Amino acid sequence: MRDTKSVDFFGSDKPSKEEADEEKGSGGGFFSKPTAAVFGFHILHISLEKVDIVVDVLVTNPNPIPIPLVDIIYLIESDGHKLISGTIPDAGTIRAHGSQTIKIPICLIYKDIKDTYDDIQPGEIIPYRVSVELLIDVPIIGRVSLPLEKKVETPAPYKPDVDLDKIEYDRFSLEETTASLHLKVENKNKFDLGVNTLEYNFTLGDDNKANATLSESTKIGQCGEGILEVPITFRPKDLGSAVWDIIKGRGVGYSMKGKLEVDTPFGPMNIPFSKEGGKEQVKERSGN
């Protein structure tokens, strides 16, 4: 009977020179240690409550077989403070002789951070150290740890203050009045805000409401103020007793609610605002 030779997966039979050249690792064995690198950091969504980020890790497998990625362990720190940590189990498989991007989703909730560390204030840009450890099972070598680290920045946004500075009217009649709201926006953040869109609901007096959208870009510098001039049209005859206050030049109660759509260095944000009360004077625009 012809002898048969048993060849196991780990290369107990001597491979050809070509196979040895292909499979030989830097350590002299048949398998090489995979490599990994952080090559991307993306802010997916930012709001006044939280920021959703994704860390991109490129893992390269130089071996002739797929290798399972057992766990991903991550830790985010700021100035020595541990902010968030977690483990992503069974994160997939890295294909043979290939590379694969592993996306690690992380959510930072500002309230949790502020409740834990009083020295982190709203409006600041917070530096972070993102530490990632990949645990991979490599044949023969065993479990391998690939530690990674990246320094990044994200903001802890502070809600801008929107207030009514004054009202000027261009044309006044009981049927239809056109006016301008001068809204003062105070940016309390340590980064610029680019106001792209303002949507608002404005109540003058008790009942009537004016709704409008302003789409005119205005940049408000860090820790600075800006004025948005917003045109409105309303029907004074629908205001009831408030119309007589306007005619007599008295102050008129108001309320307004809405949202600002702004650009930041870290991505776009939608910021709600509201303001109630007040007795603002309705002034005729100069030159009319």
Side-chain angles (χ1 to χ4, degrees):
M1 177 183 294
R2 185 171 60 89
D3 292 338
T4 59
K5 186 180 295 184
S6 175
V7 181
D8 67 21
F9 178 77
F10 300 111
S12 59
D13 190 28
K14 185 177 180 180
S16 66
K17 182 178 183 302
E18 291 76 16
E19 290 172 333
D21 289 341
E22 180 180 1
E23 297 183 357
K24 187 176 181 181
S26 59
F30 294 118
F31 290 90
S32 298
K33 181 178 179 180
T35 60
V38 176
F39 77 97
F41 177 85
H42 312 286
I43 296 179
L44 298 183
H45 177 262
I46 185 171
S47 68
L48 295 174
E49 293 80 29
K50 65 177 184 175
V51 57
D52 294 313
I53 62 180
V54 169
V55 179
D56 291 333
V57 176
L58 183 66
V59 184
T60 300
N61 176 17
N63 299 290
I65 63 168
I67 292 179
L69 180 55
V70 181
D71 288 326
I72 298 176
I73 302 172
Y74 61 87
L75 167 68
I76 295 185
E77 298 176 296
S78 179
D79 194 25
H81 298 319
K82 175 184 173 181
L83 301 181
I84 189 172
S85 63
T87 299
I88 303 175
D90 302 324
T93 301
I94 312 303
R95 67 179 182 272
H97 293 305
S99 298
Q100 186 169 332
T101 299
I102 306 298
K103 295 184 177 294
I104 304 174
I106 299 172
C107 178
L108 293 172
I109 300 176
Y110 301 126
K111 184 179 183 301
D112 294 342
I113 297 173
K114 183 67 175 65
D115 289 346
T116 306
Y117 306 107
D118 291 335
D119 54 341
I120 296 178
Q121 299 298 324
E124 294 184 347
I125 297 175
I126 305 175
Y128 297 102
R129 183 171 68 90
V130 180
S131 301
V132 177
E133 182 182 10
L134 305 180
L135 298 179
I136 299 176
D137 269 341
V138 182
I140 297 180
I141 297 177
R143 181 162 292 194
V144 173
S145 172
L146 302 178
L148 306 168
E149 184 177 300
K150 186 175 180 64
K151 293 182 178 180
V152 299
E153 290 183 337
T154 70
Y158 198 108
K159 184 177 181 179
D161 185 51
V162 180
D163 202 356
L164 179 61
D165 184 56
K166 62 181 177 179
I167 305 173
E168 292 181 338
Y169 67 89
D170 299 298
R171 184 175 62 87
F172 183 88
S173 74
L174 293 179
E175 291 297 328
E176 184 177 80
T177 291
T178 59
S180 294
L181 306 179
H182 290 245
L183 304 181
K184 181 173 68 175
V185 181
E186 182 181 0
N187 178 16
K188 300 181 179 182
N189 297 283
K190 294 184 179 179
F191 50 88
D192 296 346
L193 295 180
V195 180
N196 293 325
T197 303
L198 166 68
E199 296 181 7
Y200 69 94
N201 179 288
F202 183 76
T203 301
L204 189 61
D206 297 326
D207 300 314
N208 188 68
K209 295 182 179 180
N211 301 278
T213 298
L214 174 69
S215 298
E216 182 177 344
S217 297
T218 301
K219 182 178 180 180
I220 304 175
Q222 57 177 331
C223 301
E225 294 182 354
I227 296 292
L228 301 179
E229 187 172 339
V230 184
I232 64 169
T233 300
F234 60 94
R235 293 162 55 89
K237 70 178 185 178
D238 296 333
L239 292 178
S241 61
V243 69
W244 301 111
D245 290 331
I246 296 175
I247 294 173
K248 296 176 182 179
R250 297 173 182 170
V252 180
Y254 74 92
S255 66
M256 59 180 176
K257 297 180 180 180
K259 70 175 181 178
L260 296 169
E261 295 182 4
V262 302
D263 283 333
T264 77
F266 309 94
M269 289 180 59
N270 289 329
I271 303 174
F273 68 88
S274 63
K275 186 69 83 172
E276 297 182 356
K279 290 290 183 179
E280 297 299 325
Q281 293 291 327
V282 179
K283 301 178 182 179
E284 186 174 1
R285 184 180 297 274
S286 60
N288 289 348

